[in-house]
C-alpha cells in the first residue's frame, strides 16, 4: 500500500477583512483578526496536499495570558469535526477544496477576552505530530450574541452604545445644562491594544497574572478593574485627578477634547498617569475603553450630586449671618454635577430583576474592596432602595437621594436650620439621546417622582438598611421634626434679569413677598437682607467672597417687592475658577423676631460661541475645508488663544494652531483643510482655549461618503 505523504501547512489566511466585518470590528482595522466571542469566524488553511478527514488529524490550540491552562480557561484544545458543538471551543463545518481547507471556528460566549495565539497540531500514524502557528487574534465581548452576558437586543442601541465613537458630556447646573462634545475614538487603531495594556497594569494582574486573566471572561470583574485603573489613586492608572486650580504641571481637565490623546499619552509614557482629570474626563475615558472591549456603555451626568462619605444620607452645609458659605471640615459635599458611566450587562451574581444598566464610576471618591473604584451598582436596585446589593449601591443611592440640610452658623456653632431639602439632590440625570444630539433625562430610572408615596417608601427602606439604629435618635431629626424653620412670614427668590455672560455685569432681581397665613399681626415686616457672591467650585466648595451687599426692606401684607441687584464685572474679574460659576446667597433676618431665611442662586457665565462651517459634500480622501469663526464678545482681550481640532475618522490625532490674542469685540476666522479617513457619521470637535477662558467649545456633525470613482 502506497504511503500518503505527511500533511504540511504551507500558508494560512485568517480572512481578517471578512471576519472583522461580520463581527462589527472593521472600524478597528482590517489587517488584524478581531472577533467577538459566541460567534463563528472563518479561516483558510493551505496544505501540501488535500486534507483527508479519515486519516489526517488536526487539533487546534488557542491560548491567552501567561502560563495558559485549560483549568483556568486560558487555554482551549479542540479537534476538527464536521459538526459544531454548542457552547464550547470548536472547529467545524469544514470544506475541502483541493489543497485548501475552509474551517469555521467558534468561541464560547463565556470565553476569556484578550489577545490569543492560535496554532494547530497535525498528527499522523505512530504518534508523529507537528505544531504550526496560525497567527494571533483578539477576542472581545459580544453584545450581539444572546449567550453573552452583555447581550443588548436592539441594533439601534448597539449602534449608539458600541459603535458610536463620539458623544456629549452634560455639565453646568440643573437649571442650565450645557452639552460638551467628546471624541471617544474607541476604534482608533491602537486603542484596543491600550485597553488591554490597562488591564495588564492593574494591581489584580500584578498580584496574580494567571488568576487575573482567568477572570476576564466575567464582565463584572472587567468593569471593576477598569473602574479602578482609569484613576491613579492606588495604581499606574490612566489619569491623575486634580480638583484644585493649579494645572501648570499638566493639562486642565477642561482642555481635553476626547479620550484618544489621553490614552496614547498614558501608553507612550509607560503607564505614567496623565495630568489631569475630573469626573467627566474619567467617565469619558472609561466609556472609550468599555465600548472598545465590547460592553454597551454610556456617560451619565447627575446634577446637584451628593458626595456622602459617612453614609448618613444627609449632606450638611453652613452659612454665616452675612450669607457667606463656610468651608466644612467634613468630606461630605454637594457637587454641581457628577459624571459616571452605565454599562449594560446581566448580573448573575444578584437575584433576578437587576440586569440591564449598571453604574460604574471611575472617579476616585472612596475605596471598594480596598481600591478606588465604584460599581457595578444596578440602576434598578438604586431605584428600589435595595442598597444591600453589590457593588457600592449605598454610595450611588446617596448621590441621587440624600437630603440637604442648610445651617446658620453663629457664635461658633450651627444654631438654626435654614432649609431642609428632601428633593434637591439628584436632578436632571442626563445622557445623550439615542441617534440624536439631544439630551435625554433618565432621572425616572434612578428614582420615583420626588414626594410620591413610592419615593418616600424607598427612602425609608434604604435608610433602615444604611443607618440602622442611628436613624431613630438624632438631634438633627429632632430639629427637623419640630419644623419650626418652615413657619416663616416671607418668601424670597432670586431671578436673573438677563442671561449672564462672562465679561459683563450680572443683573439679578430679588423677589420677596409675604406668606398670607403667616403674616405678623402687628403689620409690616422689617427685614435686613445680606447678600454674598462667591466663586463656586465644581466639587461643591466656594472661595472667598467677591461681592457683598446689604438691603433694608419693609414689607406690608399682600405686597411684593422686586429689588434689583448688580454684580459688577470688575468684582469677579480674575477671581473665578475655570468653570465660571458663581453662588449668590442671601440671608434675610426679621428684625423683631430674629428669624432667618435663605435664598440662593447659582450662575453660570457663558463663554463666547464659535461657529463651524464645512463644505456640503464630504468624501474619504478628498480635502475637506472647514471655516471656524469666533467673536470675542467679552470686554477684555483673550490672550494666548490656542485651537485644537479632533475627530475620529476625520483627523488622525489632532490638529493644533496658535491664534495669538483676540481683542475685545474682534472676530477671528480660521480655515483648516484635512482629508477624512473613514466613511459614515462623524463629529468634528473644536476647542479654543485662552488665559481668560479655558473652554470655548463647538462641534459639527459630518457625514463622510465613500470616495467617488474618478
Amino acid at each position: 500500500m502506497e504511503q500518503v505523504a505527511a500533511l504540511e501547512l504551507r500558508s494560512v489566511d485568517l480572512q481578517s477583512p471578512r471576519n472583522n466585518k461580520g463581527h462589527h470590528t472593521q472600524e478597528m482595522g482590517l489587517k488584524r483578526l478581531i472577533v467577538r466571542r459566541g460567534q463563528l469566524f472563518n479561516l483558510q488553511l493551505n496544505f501540501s496536499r488535500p486534507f483527508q478527514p479519515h486519516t489526517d488529524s488536526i487539533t487546534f490550540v488557542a491560548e491567552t495570558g501567561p502560563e495558559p491552562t485549560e483549568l483556568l480557561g486560558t487555554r482551549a484544545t479542540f479537534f476538527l469535526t464536521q459538526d459544531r458543538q454548542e457552547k464550547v471551543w470548536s472547529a467545524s463545518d469544514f470544506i475541502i477544496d483541493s489543497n485548501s481547507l475552509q474551517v469555521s471556528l467558534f468561541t464560547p460566549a463565556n470565553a476569556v477576552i484578550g489577545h490569543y495565539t492560535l496554532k494547530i497540531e497535525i498528527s499522523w500514524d505512530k504518534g508523529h505530530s507537528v505544531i504550526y502557528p496560525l497567527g494571533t487574534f483578539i477576542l472581545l465581548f459580544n453584545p450581539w450574541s444572546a449567550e453573552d452576558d452583555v447581550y443588548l437586543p436592539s441594533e439601534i442601541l448597539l449602534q449608539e452604545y458600541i459603535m458610536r465613537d463620539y458623544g456629549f458630556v452634560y455639565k453646568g447646573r440643573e437649571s442650565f445644562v450645557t452639552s460638551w462634545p467628546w471624541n471617544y475614538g474607541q476604534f482608533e487603531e491602537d486603542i484596543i491594544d491600550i485597553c488591554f495594556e490597562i488591564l495588564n497594569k492593574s494591581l489584580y494582574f500584578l498580584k496574580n497574572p494567571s488568576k487575573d486573566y482567568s477572570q476576564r471572561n466575567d464582565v463584572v470583574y472587567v468593569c471593576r478593574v477598569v473602574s479602578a485603573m482609569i484613576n491613579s489613586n492606588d495604581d499606574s492608572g490612566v489619569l491623575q485627578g486634580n480638583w484644585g486650580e493649579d494645572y501648570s504641571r499638566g493639562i486642565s481637565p477642561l482642555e481635553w477634547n476626547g479620550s484618544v490623546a489621553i490614552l496614547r499619552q498614558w501608553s507612550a509614557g509607560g503607564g505614567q498617569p496623565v495630568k489631569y482629570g475630573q469626573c467627566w474626563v474619567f467617565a469619558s475615558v472609561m466609556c472609550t475603553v468599555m465600548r472598545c472591549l465590547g460592553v454597551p456603555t454610556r456617560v451619565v451626568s447627575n446634577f446637584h450630586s451628593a458626595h456622602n462619605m459617612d453614609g448618613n444620607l444627609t449632606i450638611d452645609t453652613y452659612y454665616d449671618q452675612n450669607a457667606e458659605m463656610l468651608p466644612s471640615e467634613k468630606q461630605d459635599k454637594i457637587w454641581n454635577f457628577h459624571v459616571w458611566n452605565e454599562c449594560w450587562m446581566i448580573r448573575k451574581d444578584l437575584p433576578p430583576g437587576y440586569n440591564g444598566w449598571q453604574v460604574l464610576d471611575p472617579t476616585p471618591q472612596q475605596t471598594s474592596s480596598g481600591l478606588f473604584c465604584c460599581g457595578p451598582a444596578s440602576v434598578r436596585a438604586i431605584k428600589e432602595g435595595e442598597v444591600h446589593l453589590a457593588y457600592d449601591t449605598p454610595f450611588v443611592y446617596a448621590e441621587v437621594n440624600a437630603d440637604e440640610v442648610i445651617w446658620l452658623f453663629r457664635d461658633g456653632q450651627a444654631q438654626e436650620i435654614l432649609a431642609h431639602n428632601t428633593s434637591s439632590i439628584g436632578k436632571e440625570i442626563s445622557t445623550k439621546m439615542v441617534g440624536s444630539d439631544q439630551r435625554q433625562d433618565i432621572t425616572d430610572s434612578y428614582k420615583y417622582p420626588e414626594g410620591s408615596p413610592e419615593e418616600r417608601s424607598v427612602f425609608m427602606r434604604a435608610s433602615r438598611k444604611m443607618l440602622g439604629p442611628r436613624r431613630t435618635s438624632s438631634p438633627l431629626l429632632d430639629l427637623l421634626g419640630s419644623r419650626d424653620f418652615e413657619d416663616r412670614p416671607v418668601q424670597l427668590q432670586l431671578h436673573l434679569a438677563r442671561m449672564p455672560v462672562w465679561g459683563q455685569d450680572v443683573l439679578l432681581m430679588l423677589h420677596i413677598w409675604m406668606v398670607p397665613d403667616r403674616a405678623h399681626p402687628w403689620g409690616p415686616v422689617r427685614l435686613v437682607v445680606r447678600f454674598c457672591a462667591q466663586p463656586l467650585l465644581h466639587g461643591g466648595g466656594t472661595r472667598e467672597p467677591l461681592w457683598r451687599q446689604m438691603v433694608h426692606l419693609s414689607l406690608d401684607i399682600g405686597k411684593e417687592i422686586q429689588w434689583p441687584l448688580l454684580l459688577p464685572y470688575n468684582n469677579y474679574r480674575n477671581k473665578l475658577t475655570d468653570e465660571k460659576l458663581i453662588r449668590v446667597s442671601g440671608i434675610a433676618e426679621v428684625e423683631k423676631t430674629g428669624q432667618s431665611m435663605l435664598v440662593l442662586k447659582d450662575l453660570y457665565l457663558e463663554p463666547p460661541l464659535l461657529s463651524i462651517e464645512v463644505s456640503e459634500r464630504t468624501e474619504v480622501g478628498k480635502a475637506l475645508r472647514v471655516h471656524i469663526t469666533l467673536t470675542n464678545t467679552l470686554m477684555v482681550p483673550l490672550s494666548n488663544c490656542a485651537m485644537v481640532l479632533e475627530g475620529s475618522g476625520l483627523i488622525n490625532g489632532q490638529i493644533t494652531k496658535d491664534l495669538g490674542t483676540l481683542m475685545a469685540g474682534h472676530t477671528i476666522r480660521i480655515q483648516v483643510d484635512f482629508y477624512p479617513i473613514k466613511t459614515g457619521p462623524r463629529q468634528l470637535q473644536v476647542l479654543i482655549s485662552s488665559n481668560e477662558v479655558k473652554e470655548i467649545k463647538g462641534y459639527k456633525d459630518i457625514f463622510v461618503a465613500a470616495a467617488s470613482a474618478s
Side-chain angles (χ1 to χ4, degrees), residues 59 99 155 203 215 224 359 362 388 487 536 586 598:
T59 305
N99 287 8
E155 187 60 34
L203 294 182
Q215 291 179 275
R224 281 182 67 75
V359 171
H388 61 289
D487 300 326
L536 185 59
L598 175 73

Side-chain angles (χ1 to χ4, degrees), residues 243-344:
W243 287 268
E245 296 158 57
D246 180 8
Y247 306 119
S248 58
R249 295 189 175 186
I251 292 176
S252 163
L254 296 166
E255 293 185 57
W256 296 111
N257 256 352
S259 309
V260 177
I262 294 168
L263 289 167
R264 284 177 174 164
Q265 183 179 326
W266 175 81
S267 178
Q272 285 297 307
V274 176
K275 301 173 181 178
Y276 292 104
Q278 288 184 14
C279 63
W280 67 92
V281 187
F282 290 114
S284 298
V285 172
M286 180 157 183
C287 183
T288 297
V289 173
M290 298 316 299
R291 285 187 185 181
C292 185
L293 295 176
V295 181
T297 304
R298 60 189 187 183
V299 173
V300 173
S301 297
N302 176 41
F303 291 88
H304 217 61
S305 184
H307 186 81
N308 187 210
M309 294 300 288
D310 56 14
N312 67 352
L313 285 175
T314 302
I315 307 290
D316 299 307
T317 51
Y318 303 90
Y319 289 81
D320 67 14
Q321 59 204 83
N322 295 314
E324 179 181 342
M325 184 180 173
L326 302 174
S328 171
E329 291 180 8
K330 289 186 178 181
Q331 288 185 296
D332 286 12
K333 292 281 188 297
I334 299 173
W335 295 26
N336 307 321
F337 65 92
H338 183 51
V339 185
W340 57 67
N341 300 99
E342 286 179 3
C343 293
W344 181 274

